[in-house]
Amino acid sequence: MPDFIHSKQRLKYPAWRAPGSDRWQRISREEAFDRIARLMKADCDAHFQEKNAAGVTVNRWLTTGMLCSSAASNETGLMHILGTPQLARLLHPFVGTAMFFAFLLMFFRYWRHNLPEREDLVWAKNIYKIALNEEVGDTGRYNFGQKCVFWAAIASLLLLFVSGIVIWRPWFADAFALPLIRVALLVHSVSATLLIVVILVHVYAALWVKGTLTAMVEGWVSDRWAQKHHPRWYRTLRQRRHRLK
């Protein structure tokens, strides 16, 4: 809270921007409250629903209800497990930074195995067969879908980290202009959504292909599984074993 109070970018008076204008006009608090009350009254008269089609009293005012819900952050609804929304907001950037560097270690370990190859085109062109649980192409250690998940996750985390630095109060945000902070907030939200989708796809694929959970949790797969899903990688490992004998 203190960083909001002492921020140089904190709004200290109401302002109004006319439709079509590109400038904000300072107004008094009385004018602001009058305008808000007038517009809310007009919206209530136009959209308030006392009863539904069945005649049941519902007292719905959906337009304002959506406005109020959009003002509530996900931290308010989901992060009470950390004590309070304020504590969640305090811990979020530190946990996010730790997550970024953890993924950075993963990036340096696996990026070579996730570089695009000619065989990836075969996998991509036959995606409909993949959806039918068929195997296509001479797949190496990772198939094209796994590579897409890898690079999408890395790109999302990189955007999250950079945009998070820009909006991190009170440490860094004051060093950036307000328009840049607004762009960073948008990038942060879009990147977080993308990362969540990538994680869900990753989990779904792990549940879909039998034996994948073992690889993720325990770090190994059977010879039979590797030969079926990643034949080129399987042949490479066998050749390596023969050379060691």
Side-chain angles (χ1 to χ4, degrees):
M1 185 61 71
D3 56 301
F4 283 109
I5 296 174
H6 299 293
S7 173
K8 297 178 181 179
Q9 298 169 343
R10 181 173 67 90
L11 295 178
K12 299 178 181 179
Y13 52 80
W16 173 70
R17 187 174 66 180
S21 174
D22 60 350
R23 296 186 179 183
W24 289 92
Q25 176 183 349
R26 181 171 179 173
I27 60 177
S28 67
R29 284 179 170 77
E30 290 75 15
E31 291 176 302
F33 284 125
D34 288 344
R35 179 174 174 79
I36 293 171
R38 183 173 67 255
L39 293 176
M40 291 188 68
K41 177 64 168 59
D43 185 82
C44 180
D45 293 341
H47 300 104
F48 185 79
Q49 181 183 6
E50 183 178 357
K51 297 180 181 295
N52 61 15
V56 179
T57 300
V58 292
N59 292 329
R60 291 175 181 160
W61 189 4
L62 294 181
T63 50
T64 296
M66 292 295 293
L67 177 65
C68 294
S69 63
S70 66
S73 68
N74 60 336
E75 292 172 346
T76 302
L78 300 177
M79 293 299 185
H80 281 285
I81 57 175
L82 295 177
T84 64
Q86 291 77 17
L87 180 58
R89 184 182 179 279
L90 176 66
L91 295 178
H92 175 85
F94 294 100
V95 174
T97 301
M99 180 178 175
F100 170 78
F101 283 105
F103 270 77
L104 194 62
L105 294 176
M106 183 189 74
F107 169 77
F108 286 118
R109 183 174 181 179
Y110 295 111
W111 72 270
R112 293 182 181 85
H113 305 295
N114 285 275
L115 293 175
E117 301 173 305
R118 186 184 299 273
E119 196 65 30
D120 293 333
L121 294 176
V122 178
W123 195 96
K125 290 178 180 178
N126 292 274
I127 187 66
Y128 64 95
K129 293 183 180 180
I130 302 298
L132 296 175
N133 206 22
E134 298 180 17
E135 297 297 328
V136 297
D138 192 23
T139 306
R141 182 167 182 172
Y142 297 110
N143 60 43
F144 182 66
Q146 293 169 321
K147 292 178 181 180
C148 289
V149 168
F150 175 84
W151 289 109
I154 294 300
S156 300
L157 282 162
L158 181 60
L159 290 173
L160 283 169
F161 179 73
V162 174
S163 59
I165 293 295
V166 176
I167 64 177
W168 192 348
R169 296 178 182 273
W171 306 105
F172 305 109
D174 287 340
F176 301 98
L178 184 58
L180 180 59
I181 293 177
R182 289 171 176 168
V183 172
L185 284 168
L186 177 61
V187 171
H188 203 73
S189 300
V190 173
S191 302
T193 303
L194 176 61
L195 182 60
I196 291 172
V197 172
V198 168
I199 292 173
L200 291 176
V201 170
H202 187 46
V203 172
Y204 176 76
L207 297 174
W208 180 28
V209 181
K210 185 178 180 181
T212 305
L213 279 178
T214 302
M216 294 175 60
V217 176
E218 301 182 16
W220 66 274
V221 296
S222 66
D223 287 356
R224 186 176 180 181
W225 188 96
Q227 185 176 16
K228 178 181 178 181
H229 298 290
H230 301 267
R232 180 156 49 91
W233 178 54
Y234 171 75
R235 293 196 305 271
T236 302
L237 292 180
R238 283 184 59 87
Q239 293 171 2
R240 190 176 301 170
R241 289 176 187 172
H242 287 309
R243 287 197 299 266
L244 294 176
K245 288 182 180 180

